[in-house]
Amino acid sequence: MDQNMNSTKEGLISGSGAIQHKAYARVGLLGNPSDVYFGKTISFSLANFWASVTLEPSPHLIINPHPIHDLVQFDSLDHLVNRLQSEGYYGGVRLLMSICKLFHKHCKDNNINLSPGNFTLSYDTNIPRQAGLSGSSAIVCAALSCLLDFYKVRHLIKVEVRPNLILSAEKELGIVAGLQDRVAQVYGGLVHMDFSKENMDKLGHGIYTPMDISLLPPLHLIYAENPSDSGKVHSTIRQRWLNGDELVISSMKEVADIAAEGKSAILKKNYQKLAELMNRNFDLRRCMFGDECLGALNIEMVEVARRVGAASKFTGSGGAVVAFCPEGPPQVKRLEDECRKAGFSIQAIQVVPSCLNDVDLKTLSK
């Protein structure tokens, strides 16, 4: 750590006024994707991967492109084409610009006065791309935290509202997503979320209940180096749900109920029940979306875990899987061996504790 940076639960603040915040990757443990359909979910923040954003006071407002993720200089045409095929067209600059715009709008709409002053924003991330780990929203979340501290308005924007602000910045860019990921990243730790229509209509957000991370059993993350695009998966299901498709509506309700059952199972440390619910969650997703939509590579990650008797499901919409080995270390070893054979990466999951500081906690609804 830079000797001039002071560490607090709010992030890092230097003597020169530079502010740095991290936001972590997200794992949807149970209930996803019902967050987009007035359902319930349980998610947690993953310490293995994160995005960081640094804000430094400056004479002009500058958004710094990342030297890798926003590459605009290439060795050749082949280099450019290969780069686009592996990384896509978009880096993080558009995300930083969008959250600046939506933060400004939110403050203006809510009569929150912003003091004058400019800054330079830069970012870094080690979250695998298109792995269903919420890499884009992590950048936006970290940037929002920087803006809250730079303008000293953290106490004026409620914690429950911040996920909506992050999501609105992503929707501005055409990113398809729900609130679940942003809630997990704003709160940190393990969170049960209730997105019932009644709550959403009345409050404008869900009911978010932090849970003790020590209640979780050891979990593992499996991911592919070249996964699918998680931003395209919800499209047909959303339309079918809006059209009143009975299979989608009933299945999505059952997925939401899984999160409610999962909360009880986790509180009781009933890990056998947790394993059953994880598997059922994926089976319902597969029934609704179909194998073609989920993708062979994504399904294989789930099947690799199931072949050794582990419970497994997507962390998000594909690209990574969360696995639980109820039989303990010998089963974990078999899972690691199978993942290596299949060409998948596997890591023991580390869960981030709550990210909320004293100022944040005072903004929470009673």
Side-chain angles (χ1 to χ4, degrees):
M1 182 186 298
D2 189 321
Q3 292 181 342
N4 295 319
M5 299 288 276
N6 297 316
S7 177
T8 72
K9 202 166 185 181
E10 296 181 21
L12 298 173
I13 302 175
S14 77
S16 64
I19 300 165
Q20 185 181 86
H21 279 280
K22 281 184 178 180
Y24 294 87
R26 178 276 305 128
V27 170
L29 182 61
L30 292 171
N32 56 310
S34 76
D35 59 312
V36 193
Y37 306 93
F38 302 117
K40 299 181 180 72
T41 65
I42 298 176
S43 300
F44 60 81
S45 288
L46 177 70
N48 307 57
F49 299 109
W50 63 87
S52 63
V53 173
T54 302
L55 182 155
E56 299 178 86
S58 58
H60 302 283
L61 202 161
I62 301 169
I63 310 293
N64 276 337
H66 192 278
I68 296 173
H69 304 301
D70 297 291
L71 193 63
V72 291
Q73 180 175 323
F74 304 91
D75 297 332
S76 65
L77 188 59
D78 283 341
H79 182 204
L80 181 149
V81 171
N82 290 334
R83 167 74 186 184
L84 293 179
Q85 287 175 338
S86 63
E87 301 289 335
Y89 286 90
Y90 303 117
V93 166
R94 65 178 186 145
L95 298 168
L96 298 180
M97 294 177 76
S98 185
I99 188 58
C100 286
K101 176 186 175 183
L102 272 295
F103 170 78
H104 177 268
K105 181 180 185 300
H106 178 87
C107 291
K108 187 175 181 181
D109 290 347
N110 291 275
N111 297 314
I112 298 172
N113 293 322
L114 300 179
S115 55
N118 285 324
F119 53 83
T120 296
L121 279 180
S122 56
Y123 78 98
D124 198 5
T125 181
N126 63 6
I127 301 174
R129 286 178 63 88
Q130 306 299 349
L133 294 170
S134 298
S136 295
S137 58
I139 295 171
V140 180
C141 182
L144 175 59
S145 286
C146 289
L147 293 170
L148 293 173
D149 288 342
F150 178 74
Y151 287 105
K152 297 181 171 56
V153 295
R154 181 173 287 273
H155 63 296
L156 296 176
I157 300 181
K158 293 171 58 175
V159 168
E160 293 102 327
V161 171
R162 294 176 201 170
N164 297 55
L165 190 49
I166 294 166
L167 182 59
S168 66
E170 293 179 273
K171 284 186 173 180
E172 177 91 354
L173 302 171
I175 294 172
V176 178
L179 278 169
Q180 169 192 222
D181 308 357
R182 291 94 203 139
V183 174
Q185 290 167 326
V186 166
Y187 279 71
L190 176 69
V191 187
H192 176 272
M193 311 169 201
D194 182 346
F195 300 100
S196 72
K197 192 172 189 306
E198 180 184 358
N199 291 333
M200 296 300 292
D201 288 345
K202 180 181 177 183
L203 305 172
H205 56 75
I207 300 294
Y208 311 135
T209 309
M211 300 176 67
D212 185 349
I213 62 173
S214 69
L215 294 171
L216 288 175
L219 300 168
H220 285 77
L221 180 75
I222 303 169
Y223 60 99
E225 295 299 331
N226 296 296
S228 66
D229 182 355
S230 64
K232 297 177 181 176
V233 177
H234 291 309
S235 56
T236 60
I237 290 295
R238 180 71 180 173
Q239 193 56 52
R240 287 168 59 191
W241 184 79
L242 290 170
N243 290 344
D245 185 306
E246 290 185 10
L247 171 65
V248 173
I249 290 172
S250 62
S251 297
M252 206 62 76
K253 183 182 182 304
E254 186 175 348
V255 169
D257 291 342
I258 281 173
E261 291 183 64
K263 181 182 179 183
S264 175
I266 291 168
L267 290 171
K268 295 175 182 176
K269 293 190 176 182
N270 184 346
Y271 297 139
Q272 186 57 48
K273 181 67 173 178
L274 175 62
E276 293 170 5
L277 292 171
M278 289 173 65
N279 283 332
R280 180 61 179 157
N281 200 149
F282 176 75
D283 292 343
L284 285 165
R285 175 187 281 272
R286 190 173 187 176
C287 178
M288 285 187 284
F289 285 81
D291 287 8
E292 185 178 357
C293 188
L294 296 188
L297 187 70
N298 290 322
I299 293 171
E300 177 59 16
M301 278 189 282
V302 171
E303 296 296 345
V304 160
R306 291 191 175 185
R307 283 200 287 271
V308 301
S312 58
K313 64 175 292 296
F314 289 175
T315 60
S317 297
V321 161
V322 55
F324 169 45
C325 294
E327 296 169 21
Q331 190 177 33
V332 172
K333 178 64 168 61
R334 295 198 301 274
L335 177 60
E336 290 171 341
D337 291 343
E338 287 298 316
C339 285
R340 274 193 290 271
K341 289 177 191 174
F344 298 135
S345 298
I346 180 169
Q347 292 189 20
I349 280 176
Q350 303 169 49
V351 184
V352 178
S354 172
C355 297
L356 303 181
N357 60 34
D358 290 342
V359 177
D360 296 325
L361 292 171
K362 288 177 182 175
T363 75
L364 289 170
S365 300
K366 302 301 181 186

